[in-house]
Amino acid sequence: MAETVKTFEFNGYTGTVIIPENPNGKWVWKTEFLYAFDQAERALVDEGYTRVNYAICDKYGSYNAVRLMHKFYDYVVKEFNLDKKCSLFGFSRGGLYAFNFALFYPECVEKVYLDAPVLDMKTWPYAGSVEQGQMFEEYGLNADTLRTFKGNPIDNLDEFFSLDLPLILVAGGSDEVVPFEKNSGKLIEYCKTKGIEITSIVKPECLHHPHSLDDVTPIVEFIKK
């Protein structure tokens, strides 16, 4: 199906909007890695969904990033005649953006899809890495204050799930980059303990890559229903 790609600058960062041939107003906002493992997004374009990305990289879902995202949200909803609520796709570090945007602006979100998401910055970025230095700068943290930092998604599950946003989670059970037990596994266990219903698909032998699923039907159906 034919599609139109619009790329533009907004507040100093690149926005991308991929418009299907017959847009229905519904949209998917992938917070990082727009074209990576995008089988589900491509399938949704065929259903009339618009794909959106705002390349505010290296901000790790910080408070500043979330505010920038909300300004961008206001713009694309009006400019491209999109629904008031989007489906957020957060892959890997993109999970920080998706989770925190939903937490601060739940009225803008219809559903959330997290895929091998970073939910605890004590586990990633790695100590001493360039990424950790960027994260420290964004959040005003250092190695000492990170230990007691309570602004991670994993620290805010009570508030997140009080919003009643439908969630689908896909993760590799053998993830060697974003440790499953301390990220996705903790979220799944929290939901089991609290009796909260989510859709979770764990690939037991899968590492951090590949993201998504060989058959993306469960993801597409979750977003559409």
Side-chain angles (χ1 to χ4, degrees):
M1 186 178 288
E3 59 188 34
T4 303
V5 180
K6 302 279 190 180
T7 303
F8 53 93
E9 184 175 293
F10 183 81
N11 281 346
Y13 301 93
T14 300
T16 303
V17 177
I18 303 172
I19 305 166
E21 187 173 13
N22 297 303
N24 59 16
K26 295 183 179 296
W27 54 299
V28 166
W29 185 351
K30 195 170 187 181
T31 55
E32 285 269 37
F33 315 116
L34 174 59
Y35 295 110
F37 304 100
D38 64 346
Q39 305 96 305
E41 297 97 288
R42 286 188 276 110
L44 287 164
V45 164
D46 292 342
E47 300 284 344
Y49 282 69
T50 297
R51 297 172 62 183
V52 174
N53 174 258
Y54 189 35
I56 49 171
C57 304
D58 306 326
K59 294 187 179 298
Y60 304 89
S62 66
Y63 311 123
N64 181 44
V66 168
R67 287 193 291 270
L68 285 168
M69 289 172 71
H70 192 247
K71 291 176 182 177
F72 178 75
Y73 161 89
D74 283 338
Y75 174 78
V76 295
V77 165
K78 294 173 185 174
E79 182 70 16
F80 297 97
N81 196 29
L82 300 175
D83 287 357
K84 294 294 185 183
K85 293 189 176 187
C86 67
S87 290
L88 287 169
F89 281 31
F91 283 40
S92 193
R93 72 184 72 180
L96 294 167
Y97 295 84
F99 187 100
N100 287 339
F101 185 80
L103 197 67
F104 280 89
Y105 299 105
E107 68 277 8
C108 304
V109 180
E110 182 178 6
K111 295 176 182 177
V112 181
Y113 163 33
L114 299 178
D115 196 302
V118 177
L119 301 175
D120 188 348
M121 292 185 297
K122 298 182 185 72
T123 69
W124 190 94
Y126 302 135
S129 64
V130 171
E131 291 86 357
Q132 190 184 60
Q134 293 168 339
M135 180 268 287
F136 282 166
E137 184 174 354
E138 273 299 309
Y139 281 85
L141 295 170
N142 57 43
D144 290 329
T145 54
L146 178 64
R147 296 189 186 98
T148 56
F149 178 61
K150 295 300 181 184
N152 287 291
I154 212 71
D155 301 315
N156 292 314
L157 296 179
D158 285 343
E159 183 178 354
F160 179 86
F161 284 106
S162 74
L163 302 172
D164 292 325
L165 294 173
L167 172 68
I168 185 170
L169 172 70
V170 176
S174 300
D175 195 325
E176 83 290 13
V177 176
V178 181
F180 175 81
E181 295 80 5
K182 296 181 179 180
N183 292 273
S184 296
K186 272 193 174 181
L187 186 150
I188 292 170
E189 188 59 35
Y190 173 90
C191 291
K192 286 180 180 177
T193 301
K194 299 287 186 177
I196 297 170
E197 183 178 343
I198 63 167
T199 301
S200 61
I201 303 172
V202 178
K203 302 168 286 184
E205 304 303 320
C206 185
L207 303 177
H208 190 62
H209 291 158
H211 290 287
S212 192
L213 301 170
D214 292 334
D215 177 3
V216 297
T217 302
I219 300 167
V220 173
E221 292 301 317
F222 174 85
I223 297 300
K224 287 172 55 181
K225 72 181 179 182

